[in-house]
Amino acid sequence: MKRIYLDHNATTPVHPEVKAAMLPYYEDLFGNASSVHSYGREAREAIDVAREQVAELIGASSPTEIIFTSGGTESDNHAIKGTALSKADKKGNHIIISPIEHHAVENTCEYLEKRGFEVTHLQVDKYGIIDLQNLEDAIKDTTILISVMHANNEVGTIQPLAEVGKIAKERGILLHTDAVQSVGKIPLNVDELGVDLLSLSAHKIYGPKGIGALYIRKGTRIDSLLHGGHHERNRRAGTENVPGIVGLGKASEIAKKEMEANREHLWSLTEKLRAGIQEEIEFVRQNGHPEQRLPNTLNFSFEFVEGEALILSLDMQGICVSTGSACTSGSLEPSHVLAAIGLPPEIAHGSVRISLGRDNTEEEINYVLETLPSVVNRLRAMSPLYADRMKKRKEGKL
Ligand SMILES: *Cc1c(COP(=O)(O)O)cnc(C)c1O
């Protein structure tokens, strides 16, 4: 059976050109970038090129503002713990985050809270957008960091980050953003957004897993997480993952080049899918902002359906989607993102994220639209709550 992959916010396939760019660094070009001989110099040059490619994608003014990490999780940890450790003695211990952050931010802040830091969670509206007045009101003299993700991985909502940037700058507070989902998908410029720290990850943009980057604005002093050799200008010790870095660089270059075409392609496919779902299936609601969203991401709650059951049933038809974030599935806790946008647990449990990628086609979307309604109906046929609702409707009570 042909499989249709619609879970690109969990991870993406490696672009063939990315793989091709990486291979030589597993073969002849295996040098350690710290070595002074020719093997080392080749590796160093490859890293320099990749650093420029990443800087270029996010509009950094200098490649020296980019450090390579093991991925989005490490970048988030580095940005937040690094700021906390460097500012706690001098300025304060208060951190502000949104309530819909990825666990890499959320749980890092929870850890810091146990160590005596104070963390304020902002409010979001029903679309998952933060309230700027609420942010202004949350700021204290002791606030050292604001961390608000650019686009949400579960519902796709894009935050008014440039406005947050203005507020942070006015108040002299560092701004970090987890941009793992927005980088490469929508135009993004660190100066326009006014961010000081930005996390990104290769495997969400058709690069390899286990490699990412943290943008650190020139002049921003934060502590390092990993101590050891003098790699990454003393900001991140450890022999560089040269093939991974080359892959991230290439993926960044391609993302920049293809962004407009991908955006249009994905927007039209998701709009077709959204319209089809809303036409064909009743008792369904779209989660996240209908327009201020990532071009590839849709999230729906299907009433009277268990999300996990829907995913398994769709998987048997060759359609791969997910409930919320890959990191929460497997747990019975409803997603904190869906809770924050006000979904009651029973509705949140029937939610599914559909995240498209550059290779998805209109035929695949047609197949999903042919398959999904009958799968949902079959599952609903097993729900006593649904039967009750149908009975009431028949009796004219609804
Ligand atoms: C995937 C993801 C991460 C984690 O990135 P890894 O490279 O998998 O560690 C962090 N934040 C968001 C929003 C993500 O989607």
Side-chain angles (χ1 to χ4, degrees), residues 9 70-73 76 102 104 149 151 153 178 180-181 201 203-204:
N9 287 11
S70 65
T73 300
D76 286 344
H102 188 273
M149 73 197 316
N153 46 305
D178 176 335
V180 170
Q181 290 293 347
S201 175
H203 76 101
K204 305 287 174 80

Side-chain angles (χ1 to χ4, degrees), residues 107-302:
N107 291 347
T108 299
C109 288
E110 199 178 294
Y111 165 83
L112 289 173
E113 220 170 0
K114 288 195 191 116
R115 305 234 143 195
F117 286 84
E118 188 191 353
V119 180
T120 298
H121 290 78
L122 298 171
Q123 289 147 19
V124 286
D125 65 13
K126 63 176 176 176
Y127 299 121
I129 294 182
I130 60 162
D131 181 85
L132 295 169
Q133 189 57 50
N134 177 221
L135 169 64
E136 297 239 31
D137 295 345
I139 295 172
K140 311 178 183 195
D141 291 341
T142 52
T143 308
I144 51 174
L145 180 70
I146 299 168
S147 182
V148 172
M149 73 197 316
H150 192 202
N152 183 265
N153 46 305
E154 290 187 43
V155 295
T157 298
I158 299 169
Q159 298 293 342
L161 198 57
E163 305 302 314
V164 178
K166 281 190 201 114
I167 294 169
K169 191 164 188 188
E170 243 167 52
R171 307 292 290 265
I173 300 164
L174 290 183
L175 173 61
H176 166 250
T177 191
D178 176 335
V180 170
Q181 290 293 347
S182 59
V183 161
K185 290 186 190 146
I186 56 174
L188 180 165
N189 179 292
V190 287
D191 289 338
E192 283 167 20
L193 294 177
V195 296
D196 304 293
L197 301 155
L198 177 146
S199 305
L200 61 93
S201 175
H203 76 101
K204 305 287 174 80
I205 58 167
Y206 308 95
K209 294 167 183 60
I211 186 78
L214 178 63
Y215 161 82
I216 307 178
R217 183 177 292 281
K218 194 172 273 171
T220 307
R221 297 265 167 275
I222 64 169
D223 281 20
S224 300
L225 280 191
L226 299 186
H227 300 93
H230 300 295
H231 311 89
E232 299 295 280
R233 297 168 157 243
N234 287 323
R235 292 173 299 185
R236 203 270 189 184
T239 300
E240 296 87 345
N241 171 359
V242 183
I245 290 170
V246 168
L248 171 55
K250 192 70 188 174
S252 301
E253 184 193 65
I254 296 169
K256 189 172 161 69
K257 199 169 62 194
E258 290 187 351
M259 188 180 307
E260 272 319 304
N262 283 342
R263 245 173 113 197
E264 253 176 64
H265 172 65
L266 292 166
W267 192 269
S268 83
L269 289 186
T270 49
E271 277 303 299
K272 183 185 170 104
L273 185 56
R274 182 194 59 73
I277 287 174
Q278 286 175 334
E279 214 168 284
E280 297 294 325
I281 304 174
E282 57 174 350
F283 306 119
V284 57
R285 64 163 274 174
Q286 184 182 6
N287 299 315
H289 199 285
E291 284 107 37
Q292 284 298 109
R293 67 163 173 88
L294 290 171
N296 77 319
T297 307
L298 295 173
N299 189 303
F300 293 101
S301 296
F302 298 92

Side-chain angles (χ1 to χ4, degrees), residues 20 57 91 103 170 231 294 307 325 336:
L57 177 62
K91 190 170 176 222
H103 281 126
E170 243 167 52
H231 311 89
L294 290 171
S325 90
H336 69 289

